[in-house]
Amino acid sequence: MTQKTVLIIDDEPDIRELLEITISRMGLHTESVGCVSDAIALLQQNTIQLCLTDIKLPDGSGLDVVHHIQQHCSETAVAVLTAYGSTELAVEALKAGAFDFINKPVSIEQLRNLIKTALQLESSSATTIDSSRNTRLLGETDVISRLRQQITKLARSQAPVYISGESGSGKEVVARMIHANGPRRNAPFVPVNCGAIPDELVESEFFGHVKGSFTGAYGDKEGLFEAANGGTLFLDEVADLPLNMQVKLLRAIQEKAVRRIGSNEEIAVDVRILSATHRDLSREVASEHFRSDLFYRINVIEVAVPSLRQRISDIPLLANFMLEKIASEWGIPAPRLSEDALNALSSYPFPGNVRELENIIERAATLCDDEIITAKDLSLPASNSSVNPDKHADHLSAAIGDVEGYLASIEQNIINAALKAQQGNKTESAKLLGLTFRQFRYKLKKYNLD
C-alpha cells in the first residue's frame, strides 16, 4: 500500500521539524518547504494527500496555497496553521476552501485528530449518500440539484456551516447529509434543539458536570460536546441560546476544548459544528439578541434550504414517497393520490413545508376510502387568498379599543387548535406553528394554557 504524503509549509525550521517528527510517527511520509513557490512546485510534481500551511510566508500567504490547490489539485486536503487568536484569517481560509485550521502553538492531539480526519476524505464517496431515512433529500428540481452539489462540496470540509430555511423545510436532513458524506460519517451525529433546553440546564447539557457541582448533580455527566467527539454537533434553533451561553459556546468552538461544570480540567474535543434556525440570524445580531462574534464563527458558509413553495413540482414525488413509507410501516396497500388531490396540494402554500406535507399525507391516508386519496381527504386549511375581504371590516370592529387583547385572543385560539390537532403534544404543536419549544412554552404560560 502506497504511503500517504503530508506537505508541510512553514518558514520556521523548528516548527517544520516538530511537525515532521509528529507526522512521521503516524506512519506518514512528509515533505517540507519554507515558501509558497517551493510548495507549488512540489504540488505540481507529486501526489500530496494533505497540505499543512502557515498563513504568513516570505513570498506570499497560505491563502495562495489554498487557492492553488482548489484550482489545480482539489483532491488534496489543505489545512492552515494560524497564530493564536487569528480567527479572521482562519475563517477566510475556510471560505477559500481549506479543510480546517489549527492554532499555534500546535496541540499534538488536535494535529493528530485533524490529520486522521483529513486523510479519511479519500475513502469518502464521490457521490452524495442519499439513501437512508434520515439522510434523504428527495426532489428533481434545479434548486434541490444545486443543494445536493453544495452538500457534496461541504462534506469534504470541516468549516462550520449555517443552514438557513423556513421551519419544516428539511434543515436537519441537510445537516445529516453533510455528516453522512464526510470523513466523520462513522462517528456520532448529535442533534440538539437549543430552544428545548431550559436556560438553567443549557451549560450542563453542552459541557457536562461533575458530581456535587450543583444541587441534583448526583454523578458525573458527559456533555453534548463530548458525546459528539470525533463527529458532528448539530445546533438546531441556535438563535434561541441565551446570550451568556453564546459566550461559552464561542470559546468551546475556538479552543476545541470544554470544561465540565465544577471541574478545573479542560477536555479536548474534536467536533464539527453545523447550526440552523428558521429565524433571520443577521437580524437577530442587529437587534443584539445574538452575538456577532459567534455569528461570524458559525456562519463561515451558509446553505439555504428552499421552501416547498420554491419546488412545487417535487410535491407529487414527496407525497408518493411518504405514502409508500406509511404503507410499509402500517402494513397496508399504498394509497393513491387522485388528480384533484394532486392539484389541491400543488395549489396550497405549505407554510409548514415538508413537515406539514407529511402530516397532511398521514392524516389523508387514515381518512381515505378504497386506497384513493381525494382533495376532501386532505382537509387542507383555507388559504388566505380565499378569505372574504368583507371579513377585514369585522376584524377591525372587534379590535377597536383593544387591538392587543383581540390579537391575544386570536393567538390563544390558534394555540388551542394546534394542541388539539396534535393530540396535546406540545413539541409537535410548536413545530406545526413554526415556534421553538421554548417560545411555545412561554405562550402557554402567558395565556395560562399550561
Side-chain angles (χ1 to χ4, degrees), residues 64-321:
D64 299 329
V65 177
V66 175
H67 289 306
H68 175 85
I69 287 174
Q70 290 300 302
Q71 292 173 12
H72 302 287
C73 42
S74 58
E75 70 283 355
T76 301
V78 55
V80 295
L81 308 172
T82 64
Y84 186 82
S86 302
T87 305
E88 295 80 6
L89 290 173
V91 168
E92 190 177 348
L94 290 171
K95 287 182 176 179
F99 167 79
D100 205 349
F101 74 93
I102 189 167
N103 285 321
K104 291 180 177 181
V106 175
S107 161
I108 300 301
E109 184 177 358
Q110 288 183 10
L111 176 65
R112 286 174 178 158
N113 286 335
L114 183 151
I115 292 170
K116 287 176 184 176
T117 305
L119 294 180
Q120 286 174 14
L121 280 173
E122 284 191 307
S123 58
S124 297
S125 174
T127 56
T128 311
I129 297 170
D130 191 15
S131 57
S132 79
R133 184 173 167 185
N134 290 325
T135 59
R136 184 176 290 275
L137 190 63
L138 286 174
E140 298 173 349
T141 52
D142 289 343
V143 289
I144 291 297
S145 296
R146 287 196 296 270
L147 181 56
R148 284 201 196 93
Q149 292 170 5
Q150 199 171 9
I151 287 169
T152 302
K153 290 180 180 178
L154 293 177
R156 289 184 56 82
S157 167
Q158 293 303 290
V161 177
Y162 165 56
I163 306 168
S164 62
E166 295 180 8
S167 181
S169 56
K171 297 186 290 296
E172 183 171 339
V173 171
V174 171
R176 287 183 179 276
M177 287 185 67
I178 292 172
H179 171 79
N181 283 274
R184 297 176 181 266
R185 62 188 177 278
N186 294 322
F189 175 89
V190 180
V192 52
N193 187 331
C194 300
I197 307 173
D199 290 358
E200 63 273 14
L201 296 179
V202 174
E203 185 174 358
S204 173
E205 286 295 312
F206 274 91
F207 305 140
H209 61 253
V210 297
K211 181 179 179 180
S213 55
F214 55 85
T215 303
Y218 299 116
D220 291 354
K221 179 188 175 183
E222 179 183 73
L224 293 166
F225 269 87
E226 289 181 73
N229 196 20
T232 302
L233 182 60
F234 174 51
L235 306 176
D236 197 9
E237 299 303 345
V238 69
D240 291 321
L241 282 174
L243 282 169
N244 65 327
M245 184 59 198
Q246 292 177 25
V247 180
K248 296 170 182 176
L249 177 62
L250 176 63
R251 186 183 183 282
I253 294 172
Q254 290 184 165
E255 301 298 323
K256 298 186 178 181
V258 296
R259 183 184 289 120
R260 292 183 179 182
I261 296 175
S263 172
N264 293 322
E265 179 186 353
E266 281 206 330
I267 302 169
V269 288
D270 172 31
V271 173
R272 185 180 189 184
I273 299 292
L274 305 178
S275 57
T277 180
H278 71 280
R279 298 198 214 173
D280 185 336
L281 206 52
S282 58
R283 187 175 297 173
E284 294 294 310
V285 171
S287 61
E288 298 185 351
H289 293 144
F290 198 84
R291 291 181 61 94
S292 59
D293 47 5
L294 178 58
F295 172 67
Y296 292 119
R297 189 65 188 84
I298 65 174
N299 189 28
V300 173
I301 301 172
E302 180 174 352
V303 177
V305 182
S307 67
L308 197 51
R309 295 183 301 283
Q310 293 174 277
R311 52 187 191 113
I312 293 171
S313 60
D314 283 334
I315 289 176
L317 178 66
L318 289 165
N320 285 316
F321 169 76

Side-chain angles (χ1 to χ4, degrees), residues 312-345:
I312 293 171
S313 60
D314 283 334
I315 289 176
L317 178 66
L318 289 165
N320 285 316
F321 169 76
M322 292 168 185
L323 287 171
E324 291 290 342
K325 186 176 75 169
I326 289 169
S328 175
E329 291 175 353
W330 295 0
I332 61 171
R336 181 174 59 84
L337 287 160
S338 66
E339 195 67 31
D340 67 325
L342 284 170
N343 290 336
L345 288 173

